[in-house]
Amino acid sequence: MRVFVLLFNARTENEGIHTLRMGDRNVVLMFESEDDAARYAMMLEAQDFGAPTPEGIDSEEVEEFCADAGYESQLVPEGALAIPPETNVEQPDWQPDKPPETATDMSETELERIRRQLEKLL
């Protein structure tokens, strides 16, 4: 199923995905509707959180990414009014102005994840 997630710096080397912090968990919202994702993105921007872009992607790919990253995913049904929390995390994991990581900056786990994704493309 095609869903929409919110990405910062979409299609760049410094791409980041929007997550919600729920306790000790990070949750990626998967919107069934692009309009609902765009509405949520506008609410984030109004909170000075940044300007994420709704990007369509296969739900299985999102769920696989979440499993690899230790995140959870949550489906937002079409027409549901998802509202961002009033407060943001003090220090996000992703830094919008950070230069892209080089191979020497990556952990073995991250390199293995990328290798698996590239193998799937073949």
Side-chain angles (χ1 to χ4, degrees), residues 61-109:
E61 191 175 333
V62 176
E63 289 167 354
E64 184 178 318
F65 165 79
C66 288
D68 288 346
Y71 296 168
E72 294 181 20
S73 60
Q74 180 179 346
L75 184 64
V76 178
E78 185 170 357
L81 181 59
I83 299 174
E86 292 183 21
T87 58
N88 299 319
V89 293
E90 300 259 337
Q91 184 65 33
D93 295 338
W94 171 78
Q95 299 298 316
D97 300 324
K98 180 181 174 190
E101 291 181 335
T102 62
T104 57
D105 294 330
M106 292 185 198
S107 69
E108 288 298 318
T109 305

Side-chain angles (χ1 to χ4, degrees), residues 31-41 43 76-82:
F31 294 87
E32 284 185 333
S33 164
E34 184 175 13
D35 288 341
D36 293 341
R39 186 178 308 110
Y40 191 92
M43 286 189 271
V76 178
E78 185 170 357
L81 181 59

